[in-house]
Amino acid sequence: MPNSLPQLSGLVVSAHSADFIWRSGGAIALYAKRGWKVKVVCLSFGEKGESQKLWKEPGMTIDRVKAARRLEAEKAGQVLGVSEFEFFDLGDYPLRTNRDALERLADIYQELRPSWILTHSLEDPYNLDHPEASRFAQEARIVAQAHGRRGAASAIGAPPVFLFEPHQTEQCNWKPQLILDITEVWETKRKAFEQMDAQEHLWEYYTRVAMQRGVQGARNSERKMKYGEAYQRVYPLVTENLI
Ligand SMILES: [Zn+2]
C-alpha cells in the first residue's frame, strides 16, 4: 500500500560546491536518515577560489576543475544521502546571481516546498560569495511566497532559514543559536569530507569545529553529545511552548 504521508523535504543553498559538506553535512545526513528528501543547490563549483589543490596540477583548466569539483560534490552527497543536486554554474570569485537564476531557485522552492532552508551567514568579509548566496537564497524564498507569482496555491509558507557556521564566526557577526546533535551521523559526515580531495586541508579543521560545538551542545543541554553543527536563525522560532 502506498504511503499516504507526503515526503518531507529540506533545501540547502551552497555558494560553492563543497560548502554544504563542511557546514551542513550533519543536518543533511540526519534528515536523509529520517527519510526526508534533501535537495542541494550549488550556485558555483568553487572552481576559482576553493580548489587550491587542483590548480597545482600541471595543465589544469577551468572546465577540468569544474568537472572534478562536481564529481567530488556528488560523491560526498551520495555519502550524506542528498536526494537531488542542481548546479547553477554561476561562477565564483566573484559569484554573481541574476534574474533567471532567481526565478529558477523560486521554482525549486515552489516545487520542493521545503520545511527548512540552510544557507550561508549574512556577512563574511573574507568571502563575499557567501553572503551573496545567502541574500539570493532568502530573496528566492520571498519571491516564492508571493501569491501573485503562480497563484496562491503555489506560494510557499514560511519555512525557517538557518545560517551555516562561517569560517571565522566573530568577523561574520554570526552566533550559534541552534546546536544540532550530529553524533549519530558523525562518521558519515567525516566520510563525506574525505571525498573532497581538493580541500584536504579542511578535513581536520572541520572535525575540530564539530567537536567544539559538541562540547558546547552538551554544556547547554543534558545531552551526552560529542559532535555538533551550529546554526544561526534568521526568523524567530514560533512555538506554543517555552521548553
Ligand atoms: Zn565557499
Side-chain angles (χ1 to χ4, degrees), residues 128-201:
L128 299 187
D129 290 0
H130 292 162
E132 174 60 14
S134 189
R135 186 203 61 76
F136 180 69
Q138 286 171 68
E139 188 172 22
R141 175 182 173 279
I142 294 164
V143 169
Q145 287 176 320
H147 286 208
R149 184 171 193 260
R150 286 198 175 153
S154 297
I156 63 164
V161 179
F162 299 100
L163 307 177
F164 304 147
E165 175 156 2
H167 206 66
Q168 297 192 51
T169 56
E170 296 88 343
Q171 307 305 322
C172 301
N173 286 320
W174 178 97
K175 277 190 183 175
Q177 294 173 332
L178 181 149
I179 299 178
L180 196 63
D181 181 355
I182 61 163
T183 310
E184 69 173 88
V185 293
W186 168 252
E187 290 306 323
T188 305
K189 182 171 178 177
R190 173 72 199 203
K191 209 170 142 209
F193 284 4
E194 292 168 6
Q195 312 304 311
M196 308 314 286
D197 231 10
Q199 290 174 294
E200 199 180 334
H201 60 290

Side-chain angles (χ1 to χ4, degrees), residues 17-18 52 97 101 151 157 179 201 235:
S17 63
Q52 295 88 323
T97 56
I179 299 178
H201 60 290
Y235 305 104

Side-chain angles (χ1 to χ4, degrees), residues 3-241:
N3 190 342
S4 57
L5 289 172
Q7 190 184 24
L8 293 165
S9 63
L11 176 65
V12 184
V13 181
S14 183
H16 310 109
S17 63
D19 291 318
F20 75 92
I21 301 157
W22 319 116
R23 309 179 197 290
S24 63
I28 294 171
L30 264 185
Y31 277 84
K33 203 173 158 190
R34 293 173 191 167
W36 284 47
K37 179 175 183 177
V38 182
K39 181 160 184 153
V40 174
V41 170
C42 292
L43 300 179
S44 78
F45 297 101
E47 61 269 25
K48 290 188 200 155
E50 297 185 4
S51 305
Q52 295 88 323
K53 203 173 152 191
L54 287 168
W55 282 111
K56 287 183 186 144
E57 291 177 22
M60 190 47 73
T61 64
I62 198 99
D63 286 338
R64 282 180 55 202
V65 173
K66 282 187 188 181
R69 296 296 276 162
R70 180 181 180 133
L71 198 65
E72 283 185 356
E74 286 172 339
K75 273 163 56 189
Q78 207 169 18
V79 171
L80 296 172
V82 170
S83 316
E84 271 176 21
F85 272 105
E86 282 205 35
F87 295 94
F88 278 30
D89 194 11
L90 294 171
D92 72 330
Y93 288 68
L95 169 69
R96 289 288 179 269
T97 56
N98 57 49
R99 178 67 189 262
D100 286 348
L102 185 68
E103 298 292 350
R104 182 176 168 189
L105 187 57
D107 284 345
I108 290 172
Y109 275 101
Q110 292 196 330
E111 281 153 24
L112 186 69
R113 314 193 76 74
S115 296
W116 45 252
I117 295 110
L118 311 180
T119 190
H120 292 268
S121 57
L122 302 174
E123 293 176 45
D124 189 342
Y126 300 97
N127 192 322
L128 299 187
D129 290 0
H130 292 162
E132 174 60 14
S134 189
R135 186 203 61 76
F136 180 69
Q138 286 171 68
E139 188 172 22
R141 175 182 173 279
I142 294 164
V143 169
Q145 287 176 320
H147 286 208
R149 184 171 193 260
R150 286 198 175 153
S154 297
I156 63 164
V161 179
F162 299 100
L163 307 177
F164 304 147
E165 175 156 2
H167 206 66
Q168 297 192 51
T169 56
E170 296 88 343
Q171 307 305 322
C172 301
N173 286 320
W174 178 97
K175 277 190 183 175
Q177 294 173 332
L178 181 149
I179 299 178
L180 196 63
D181 181 355
I182 61 163
T183 310
E184 69 173 88
V185 293
W186 168 252
E187 290 306 323
T188 305
K189 182 171 178 177
R190 173 72 199 203
K191 209 170 142 209
F193 284 4
E194 292 168 6
Q195 312 304 311
M196 308 314 286
D197 231 10
Q199 290 174 294
E200 199 180 334
H201 60 290
L202 293 179
W203 298 0
E204 291 310 314
Y205 181 87
Y206 279 103
T207 297
R208 292 196 300 274
V209 170
M211 291 178 80
Q212 287 289 101
R213 294 304 180 200
V215 171
Q216 292 168 356
R219 175 70 181 80
N220 284 280
S221 67
E222 291 178 24
R223 284 179 170 270
K224 297 207 180 337
M225 60 186 282
K226 189 164 180 202
Y227 296 98
E229 197 169 83
Y231 294 90
Q232 181 172 297
R233 296 184 66 98
V234 176
Y235 305 104
L237 172 70
V238 182
T239 167
E240 59 189 18
N241 300 306

